[in-house]
Amino acid sequence: SGPMLAESDAQAGALGYKADASKVDKTKFPKYAAGQNCTSCALYQGKASDAAGGCPLFAGKQVAGKGWCSAWAKKA
Ligand code: SF4
């Protein structure tokens, strides 16, 4: 629950968060690989089928399932 995280949020900007992973700045974040997004991230608290869900890095906000940030870590 909670409002959607805005890309203009200071911490979102610091982590290069984009609500649409395909818009990630690949020059700034060369570790980004196509196909990575919040639903495939170990930190994502929603279900893979959810459009949005919580992320412990952004308490009180929801991140987009199709989003991405530079703290992305592969779900085990
Ligand atoms: Fe999405 Fe993972 Fe970044 Fe949280 S840590 S915003 S779930 S990519």
Side-chain angles (χ1 to χ4, degrees):
S1 62
M4 290 300 294
L5 175 68
E7 294 177 1
S8 57
D9 175 279
Q11 192 177 345
L15 289 174
Y17 172 80
K18 293 287 181 195
D20 177 349
S22 71
K23 304 270 165 59
V24 168
D25 183 340
K26 298 168 190 70
T27 305
K28 246 173 121 177
F29 302 102
K31 65 171 273 190
Y32 169 77
Q36 295 178 355
N37 60 32
C38 292
T39 61
S40 65
C41 175
L43 282 73
Y44 189 62
Q45 295 174 328
K47 291 194 289 273
S49 55
D50 291 344
C55 171
L57 297 186
F58 303 105
K61 302 271 172 66
Q62 293 203 86
V63 298
K66 291 180 171 138
W68 185 91
C69 87
S70 59
W72 185 88
K74 189 176 168 59
K75 195 178 277 184

